[in-house]
Amino acid sequence: MAFPQTRLRRLRTTPGLRTLVRETTLSASDFIYPLFVRHGRGVYAEIPAMPGVYHLSVDRLRDEAAEIAALGIPAVLLFGLPAIKDGIGSENFAPDGIVQQAIRTLKDAQPELVVVTDVCMCEYTDHGHCGLVRDGRVLNDETLDILSAVALSHAEAGADILAPSGMMDGMVRALRTALDCDGYADVSIMSYAVKYASSFYGPFREAAGSRMQFGDRHTYQMDPANAREALREARLDVEEGADMLIVKPATAYLDMVRRVRDTFDLPLAAYNVSGEYSMVKAAAANGWLDERKIALEQLTGIKRAGADMIITYWAKDAARWLNE
Ligand code: PBG
């Protein structure tokens, strides 16, 4: 039966009806909250390009973790700012490195809070690339050895999930092998399987101090124009032993969230990255957009596209808004 018998507006008549037929719902349990940890004491420094997001020292993590857990957010994603950067990113796999300290503190403070760590080199290397560099080229297989050492140091410190983000070929297999050989068969791998060479990472690179000293990331991160290739990336990571997949960024890549969701059965996260956040913050500061409404609309769109989890800087705010 077509119009006038069929009237789709009928089910939009009242808030109650709209709630009843809503297909996608967001909740605090969907979110993973990124944390930027750095050396020092009492540090709680707002990141200029990402208002509302802070650099924290390890001693501030207990209060932070309690707040996150109380909001019903199940997981955090850790990024570290090392004391010193060098060619191989030594602090990245140091037993007392900044992230390793953070993991121990978080696990002690909130054992139930899931700790995910970013396994990559770019925050730790003086050149800012995600792998070892020789003659101006980013090396693949040599990088895997370092990433394995990083993974083991995170597992040893107590991380629940490792998230390799460097887009090196074979990184999932390298991590899985290293973890299994060293007795960490229970540590999961959430692979940044589909990570595009995106300009939406700009504010993050400010926050993480990971701006490249030369070149760009186009020889390892994906061309934003490619979709089939994303499925090859995801398939390889599944075969190599990934437990979960990530598509990143989120809003300009919702087609890939949907395609990965439809093609693979693994839990899927979408990373609502720094540029997506900062654009809305800037527009809201100008009075051009309503931050809360825009953020919730975008997060709903990401979930509707098929993400099970969303890594987002809005996690705490969105949890508060949703809990109201
Ligand atoms: C790098 C990494 C990046 C992000 C997360 N892990 C940046 C990059 O590839 O340069 C970006 C996150 C964001 O923009 O919010 N290992």
Side-chain angles (χ1 to χ4, degrees):
M1 264 192 294
F3 177 81
Q5 287 89 346
T6 298
R7 291 176 181 270
L8 294 178
R9 289 183 56 187
R10 220 175 263 141
L11 295 182
R12 297 175 198 146
T13 317
T14 67
L17 277 168
R18 294 196 291 274
T19 300
L20 207 57
V21 300
R22 186 158 299 131
E23 299 176 30
T24 308
T25 50
L26 276 179
S27 94
S29 62
D30 299 327
F31 303 139
I32 299 175
Y33 186 57
L35 289 174
F36 296 95
V37 190
R38 73 176 205 205
H39 290 279
R41 288 197 66 77
V43 181
Y44 196 69
E46 192 168 36
I47 297 161
M50 301 174 69
V53 181
Y54 296 81
H55 282 148
L56 286 89
S57 49
V58 172
D59 59 317
R60 300 295 300 259
L61 283 176
R62 285 178 187 278
D63 288 350
E64 185 72 18
E67 189 188 351
I68 292 165
L71 286 167
I73 297 165
V76 294
L77 170 60
L78 284 181
F79 294 99
L81 286 89
I84 299 168
K85 296 174 189 260
D86 60 29
I88 62 166
S90 307
E91 191 178 323
N92 207 356
F93 47 88
D96 61 345
I98 188 68
V99 163
Q100 291 80 0
Q101 290 181 36
I103 298 166
R104 285 195 194 92
T105 303
L106 287 169
K107 276 292 155 194
D108 184 55
Q110 296 287 336
E112 299 296 318
L113 188 67
V114 176
V115 174
V116 190
T117 61
D118 188 80
V119 176
C120 191
M121 288 179 62
C122 59
E123 290 125 69
Y124 298 86
T125 52
D126 47 16
H127 46 70
H129 278 288
C130 302
L132 285 173
V133 170
R134 190 184 301 144
D135 301 327
R137 292 187 56 232
V138 177
L139 306 176
N140 194 88
D141 298 12
E142 295 83 342
T143 297
L144 299 181
D145 295 335
I146 302 218
L147 294 181
S148 301
V150 174
L152 288 178
S153 75
H154 290 181
E156 201 273 321
D160 299 290
I161 301 176
L162 307 185
S165 69
M167 290 298 280
M168 295 297 127
D169 288 325
M171 64 185 185
V172 173
R173 182 192 302 273
L175 261 56
R176 190 68 270 159
T177 305
L179 291 168
D180 289 356
C181 289
D182 266 45
Y184 298 110
D186 285 341
V187 174
S188 308
I189 297 175
M190 176 191 260
S191 179
Y192 287 84
V194 181
K195 177 170 177 180
Y196 286 94
S198 170
S199 299
F200 283 99
Y201 309 148
F204 172 93
R205 290 183 190 160
E206 207 70 64
S210 60
R211 217 162 267 295
M212 286 83 66
Q213 298 307 306
F214 67 91
D216 54 38
R217 302 214 202 286
H218 286 84
T219 67
Y220 41 104
Q221 297 181 349
M222 278 187 55
D223 184 337
N226 292 359
R228 291 193 309 268
E229 188 188 351
L231 299 181
R232 297 186 71 195
E233 279 285 359
R235 186 166 298 118
L236 256 184
D237 285 5
V238 172
E239 286 166 5
E240 290 179 25
D243 300 287
M244 296 180 248
L245 301 173
I246 304 176
V247 171
K248 175 183 175 186
T251 47
Y253 299 86
L254 293 180
D255 55 332
M256 297 322 305
V257 173
R258 170 50 57 192
R259 288 184 68 173
V260 171
R261 162 76 297 140
D262 286 346
T263 312
F264 304 97
D265 295 328
L266 282 70
L268 175 63
Y271 198 144
N272 177 221
V273 302
S274 57
E276 302 174 73
Y277 175 84
S278 298
M279 288 194 306
V280 176
K281 282 282 181 182
N286 275 296
W288 298 337
L289 291 175
D290 179 325
E291 181 193 355
R292 172 178 172 155
K293 288 186 174 150
I294 292 281
L296 292 175
E297 185 174 334
Q298 291 199 341
L299 294 168
T300 301
I302 295 167
K303 185 114 185 263
R304 192 194 62 237
D308 301 300
M309 297 159 261
I310 306 172
I311 304 166
T312 178
Y313 303 100
W314 273 300
K316 289 200 296 183
D317 287 336
R320 279 189 207 101
W321 296 330
L322 293 166
N323 291 340
E324 264 172 23

